[in-house]
Amino acid sequence: MIPENLAGRRIAITGSTGFLGTALVERLLRSAPGCELVLIVRPGRRGAGRRVERDILRNDAFDNLRSQLGTDGFAEMTSRRITAVAGDVTSDSLGLDADGLAALASCDIVIHSAAVVSFDSPLDQAVEVNLLGPVRIVETLAGLGVTPHLVTVSTCYVAGSRRGRAPEEPVDASSFFVEVDWRTEVDAARRIRLDTETESRTPANLKAFRSEAHGELGAAGIPSLAAKTEQLRCRWVDDKMAQAGIARAGSLGFPDAYAFTKALGEIAVAESAGDVPISVVRPAIIESAHLEPSPGWIRGFRMAEPVIISYARGLLKEFPGVPEGTVDVIPVDFVVAAICAVAARGPLGPDEGADIVQVASGSVNPLQYGHLVDMVREWFTEHPIYDEMGQPIAVPQWSFPGRGRVKKQLQKAARTLDRAQKVFEVLPVRGRHAEMGVRLEEQRELIGRAEGYVDLYGAYAECEAIYGLDHLLGLWGSLDDADQAAFGFDPRVIDWSTYVPDVHLPSVVKAGRVPMRPPARGGESRSERLRRQVLAPERQLVAFDLENTLIASNVVASYAWLGSRHLRGRDRARFVARLVAEAPALLSLDKKDRSDFLRHFYRRYEGAPVDQIAEDAMEQFSELILAKSFPAGIRRVRQHKALGHRTVLITGALDFVVEPFRPLFDDIVSAELGVVDGAYDGRMTAVPPTGEARYQALVDHADLHGLDLRESVAYADSASDLPMLEAVGFPVAVNPETRLASIARKRGWLVEDFRESPGMRRSLLPLAPAGSASR
């Protein structure tokens, strides 16, 4: 019945790039070969057709179908049966152009599966998609004068946080326990967005965002700090809107904005439908496939996966829930099959009752929360996740406390980590020692994520609603044997003791890309792989910072050596004392703005004879610079040169300090001072190459020599070098300070630990040998 009834039909689908939508497209192409699909997708930069090809048809859901038809046969079939249309359910007329509207008007069935499914989505985004999306669809159809069968995908959780029976009945005002008008909720959500955007731009908030950006990036330069500040502002707005959604939903008895806006969406589309016949399909918690397109197939993380992975990592020592309660899970292929059956059956007549089908399992084949947790614990005990040290992580035994107790435990752990982080942030650590700070930061982020899971998913773990399935089972009973074999959606056949450990959990760890075995001995490590890419012959330009990247020295150390070169006795002591006393202020200025610090500090060279400085700098190079160089760093420069890469040193150090490095590099870009009557005037001749100026110097250098930065490498040690590091295809963090170590770890950059020569003498201020002051 199902393939025959869908044969010759044109079916429009929204949300086809999502988890459910992708599975739906695959099933219709494979199991209903006579239908054609009109996929309404947001086009992106490359157009709707390209997005369908990249984001849908290349997914592994189509591997079996592609294998059956062959590459050419699959391409021919999809080009013949799929029409890609650029559109957006958040826009009037769905954002369709004339051709798109014509394609929609030609459809016999519209399946609306587009949704904002995140439980912590901003309130207005959930309203625009989940509430107004189906309304815009029926309004667009009415404007076209057509009345195709609309199958809209909702959720069982429109019943709210209730206990007991939740039948397949329409959502109405009584579902909210109080009178709620969906139009008023739309207006309120939009006003909250405007008010929140306005609040985010107050001077106090902008100052706080700027301060946070500086704390995260340091002296990275104005463009980077501005971009980070705006990112933090937008995140703050979205967080506030998410809080508004959770608060409004909770005030009306719903677990989150997703369920709340879906419930309003059902009311709104019923009021706006006109002559368009509507069927509503309400799934419970959709999880990985039972059988089709392949056992365990999943796209992205669903509801349970973040909690399961956090538990397996040992992060969630406890989680709220009712062990005797039901976790209403349904595999995605059951939902897809039910949607196909509803579409093939057509809309019910006016005397046949509510056209609502709930696709769930709890009322006929319940999966108890306690049983689920037991299976998860047993599976990860047998198949543990491994930590960074290659050790298996033991999973905890849950006692199912309330949400309040779990949150208190997590908040206590968070406070402990916050205190440790604050202590670590004031320490001048880098390289291997900075890794400890990075790990603290990562643990703090994981704790914050776990707190979010408790807030978002705790209500679902404690839910005790039982969703009625009379319509679903009636639909199932109406199918013939062939349809039941090809479109299975009877939840009574699921064996949870097999599905969870043998199908679902293996797919979870695969999707989460978590380490399920200790690192292989003798194999290529991640750092070795990245290093091989950095040293590939096809790399073009290689830029190096100097301080703490190639040498364990800085501009203050260079000045201390040169300034003490011709001093002795009390003059030498006063020079040292003055420099030490200024150290805190200099450090503070350096953290605020590297360029301002260099301008201020280099004024000390005013009146210094050019010839004398040149002579002293050569001696300093052998006495100080070479002694403090990193042998591995110098070897790396030579490796790149041997491979034919063009090398450039870009540094804020003064030209006379780095001049002896010239034979090592193809080019040097450095700071320079003006000269008056044979002496330095203490003023730089140009903007020092730091921060964004270093980035610009790199770009200009690449343009001058016709080199591609995407095939280039940059080495640096500080977050202030982010503009340069982000400009190249292969950034390398060398002995990174804590900020850069954290960024490099998150972005998967190569991190190198270049060390000083063994036995190198360390000193707070490296002064010139006292004997040399006799000149």
Side-chain angles (χ1 to χ4, degrees):
M1 178 189 81
I2 294 176
E4 292 79 5
N5 287 1
L6 295 179
R9 302 292 187 92
R10 282 175 65 84
I11 304 172
I13 302 175
T14 68
S16 56
T17 59
F19 174 44
L20 178 62
T22 298
L24 178 61
V25 170
E26 190 277 338
R27 178 64 71 86
L28 288 170
L29 290 177
R30 176 167 51 86
S31 300
C35 70
E36 295 181 7
L37 307 181
V38 174
L39 305 185
I40 302 174
V41 298
R42 286 179 293 181
R45 289 178 295 179
R46 299 186 179 181
R50 178 63 176 161
R51 183 150 190 239
V52 166
E53 169 64 27
R54 183 192 62 197
D55 294 347
I56 302 176
L57 299 180
R58 290 184 186 177
N59 187 272
D60 59 0
F62 297 88
D63 286 353
N64 291 337
L65 188 55
R66 189 180 289 105
S67 176
Q68 292 170 13
L69 299 176
T71 302
D72 293 341
F74 180 79
E76 186 279 328
M77 182 273 292
T78 54
S79 65
R80 174 169 45 85
R81 294 180 58 193
I82 293 178
T83 300
V85 173
D88 189 339
V89 298
T90 64
S91 301
D92 291 338
S93 300
L94 306 182
L96 299 172
D97 60 15
D99 291 339
L101 289 169
L104 178 62
S106 70
C107 291
D108 307 286
I109 301 167
V110 178
I111 301 175
H112 173 51
S113 70
V116 172
V117 298
S118 174
F119 297 152
D120 59 345
S121 59
L123 174 60
D124 60 321
Q125 291 181 17
V127 163
E128 294 295 335
V129 177
N130 298 343
L131 195 168
L132 291 176
V135 173
R136 293 191 181 99
I137 289 175
V138 295
E139 289 177 346
T140 303
L141 295 173
L144 293 170
V146 294
T147 57
H149 178 202
L150 173 61
V151 180
T152 182
V153 180
S154 185
T155 174
C156 284
Y157 292 93
V158 296
S161 302
R162 70 175 65 193
R163 291 184 174 93
R165 184 172 172 271
E168 294 162 301
E169 295 178 351
V171 176
D172 54 29
S174 65
S175 304
F176 289 84
F177 311 111
V178 294
E179 186 174 343
V180 176
D181 178 71
W182 64 269
R183 293 179 179 83
T184 301
E185 296 299 322
V186 171
D187 293 340
R190 290 171 173 172
R191 282 198 308 272
I192 294 171
R193 164 66 70 169
L194 290 173
D195 292 345
T196 306
E197 287 282 356
T198 301
E199 186 183 356
S200 74
R201 290 171 167 83
T202 62
N205 277 326
L206 291 175
K207 182 179 179 181
F209 302 143
R210 178 78 173 182
S211 177
E212 185 178 350
H214 192 277
E216 189 169 330
L217 300 183
I222 293 174
S224 294
L225 288 172
K228 187 65 180 181
T229 299
E230 179 62 9
Q231 181 189 70
L232 292 171
R233 187 196 67 79
C234 292
R235 187 186 302 165
W236 182 89
V237 170
D238 282 346
D239 287 346
K240 288 287 187 181
M241 292 304 299
Q243 292 169 19
I246 293 170
R248 183 55 178 154
S251 73
L252 295 173
F254 290 87
D256 50 48
Y258 169 67
F260 168 57
T261 53
K262 278 292 189 179
L264 289 174
E266 286 195 26
I267 295 175
V269 75
E271 290 183 11
S272 309
D275 295 329
V276 175
I278 296 176
S279 301
V280 178
V281 176
R282 293 178 183 162
I285 300 169
I286 307 176
E287 288 295 348
S288 65
H290 186 254
L291 290 174
E292 300 185 61
S294 58
W297 177 81
I298 196 169
R299 181 168 191 173
F301 265 17
R302 315 319 310 159
M303 185 190 120
E305 284 70 57
V307 178
I308 290 173
I309 293 297
S310 294
Y311 170 75
R313 290 185 182 278
L315 178 63
L316 285 175
K317 306 298 183 183
E318 295 283 7
F319 201 75
V322 180
E324 301 83 7
T326 297
V327 180
D328 212 316
V329 171
I330 194 74
V332 64
D333 44 340
F334 283 59
V335 181
V336 166
I339 292 172
C340 291
V342 169
R345 180 208 64 192
L348 295 180
D351 300 327
E352 294 182 86
D355 196 353
I356 296 171
V357 176
Q358 295 185 159
V359 192
S361 61
S363 63
V364 294
N365 185 13
L367 171 61
Q368 288 190 329
Y369 184 46
H371 183 208
L372 172 62
V373 171
D374 288 342
M375 287 190 287
V376 171
R377 183 177 63 253
E378 290 170 6
W379 196 86
F380 280 106
T381 299
E382 185 176 349
H383 309 92
I385 289 178
Y386 284 78
D387 63 19
E388 291 182 346
M389 307 304 293
Q391 298 300 309
I393 300 173
V395 290
Q397 175 85 36
W398 282 355
S399 60
F400 306 104
R403 267 185 283 174
R405 178 178 157 191
V406 177
K407 287 201 69 174
K408 285 181 180 178
Q409 291 175 348
L410 291 171
Q411 289 166 355
K412 181 179 179 181
R415 287 193 297 269
T416 301
L417 287 172
D418 285 341
R419 287 192 291 268
Q421 271 188 283
K422 287 179 181 178
V423 171
F424 214 86
E425 285 172 358
V426 300
L427 298 176
V429 295
R430 59 176 57 250
R432 289 167 295 155
H433 303 295
E435 280 295 311
M436 178 63 72
V438 174
R439 290 194 182 96
L440 287 173
E441 181 182 344
E442 288 180 344
Q443 285 298 312
R444 181 63 184 87
E445 290 177 356
L446 289 173
I447 291 291
R449 207 174 301 157
E451 287 186 75
Y453 296 156
V454 171
D455 284 334
L456 292 174
Y457 305 141
Y460 287 87
E462 295 173 341
C463 180
E464 296 182 78
I466 303 298
Y467 303 108
L469 302 179
D470 294 344
H471 297 170
L472 179 78
L473 298 179
L475 180 62
W476 174 253
S478 71
L479 301 183
D480 59 28
D481 292 343
D483 280 340
Q484 288 190 352
F487 295 89
F489 57 83
D490 182 358
R492 294 169 294 192
V493 305
I494 303 171
D495 180 358
W496 298 116
S497 296
T498 299
Y499 169 77
V500 172
D502 296 345
V503 177
H504 184 60
L505 292 179
S507 75
V508 168
V509 297
K510 181 181 178 181
R513 297 180 180 179
V514 293
M516 299 303 295
R517 57 177 62 90
R521 295 183 178 180
E524 186 180 47
S525 68
R526 179 176 165 279
S527 293
E528 290 169 339
R529 174 175 54 81
L530 292 173
R531 195 174 294 117
R532 175 168 50 79
Q533 294 172 356
V534 162
L535 291 169
E538 57 266 29
R539 300 292 85 81
Q540 298 182 16
L541 177 63
V542 185
F544 287 86
D545 183 21
L546 179 64
E547 297 173 5
N548 296 307
T549 301
L550 296 176
I551 63 172
S553 186
N554 53 53
V555 298
V556 176
S558 295
Y559 173 76
W561 198 98
L562 292 170
S564 63
R565 178 73 177 79
H566 302 288
L567 296 177
R568 54 182 167 182
R570 292 181 179 177
D571 289 340
R572 189 180 182 90
R574 280 194 292 268
F575 172 83
V576 172
R578 185 169 60 250
L579 203 54
V580 170
E582 288 180 296
L586 293 173
L587 181 61
S588 176
L589 182 58
D590 190 19
K591 286 183 176 180
K592 289 178 181 177
D593 190 292
R594 180 70 171 172
S595 295
D596 288 349
F597 162 75
L598 292 178
R599 288 191 184 92
H600 170 77
F601 190 78
Y602 285 162
R603 292 194 183 103
R604 288 165 167 73
Y605 285 97
E606 183 178 0
V610 172
D611 293 341
Q612 184 66 65
I613 289 291
E615 181 181 339
D616 291 345
M618 291 301 296
E619 186 174 345
Q620 179 198 44
F621 185 75
S622 59
E623 289 279 344
L624 174 66
I625 304 297
L626 284 181
K628 286 185 169 290
S629 66
F630 301 136
I634 302 301
R635 285 196 298 271
R636 182 61 58 83
V637 180
R638 290 173 174 157
Q639 280 180 283
H640 282 292
K641 289 202 71 173
L643 289 165
H645 305 157
R646 188 173 191 91
T647 58
V648 57
L649 176 66
I650 307 179
T651 175
L654 289 165
D655 55 349
F656 52 75
V657 173
V658 299
E659 182 61 27
F661 277 109
R662 192 164 292 280
L664 189 62
F665 294 91
D666 293 305
D667 304 283
I668 293 179
V669 179
S670 60
E672 297 180 8
L673 296 177
V675 177
V676 177
D677 298 330
Y680 290 111
D681 63 5
R683 298 179 181 180
M684 284 191 288
T685 59
V687 176
T690 63
E692 65 267 30
R694 179 171 292 173
Y695 154 80
Q696 192 59 53
L698 175 67
V699 171
D700 293 344
H701 200 78
D703 289 344
L704 178 65
H705 296 282
L707 302 174
D708 186 354
L709 287 179
R710 293 172 297 182
E711 289 294 335
S712 299
V713 186
Y715 292 80
D717 71 296
S718 171
S720 64
D721 299 310
L722 271 178
M724 181 176 77
L725 291 168
E726 292 174 335
V728 298
F730 300 88
V732 182
V734 180
N735 306 331
E737 41 81 34
T738 305
R739 288 192 191 103
L740 182 59
S742 175
I743 293 169
R745 190 180 182 93
K746 291 175 182 176
R747 300 186 185 182
W749 293 352
L750 175 62
V751 176
E752 294 285 21
D753 182 23
F754 292 166
R755 304 187 190 184
E756 303 157 345
S757 299
M760 192 192 77
R761 182 171 57 87
R762 297 174 181 271
S763 59
L764 181 63
L765 279 179
L767 305 178
S772 65
S774 59
R775 287 180 134 188

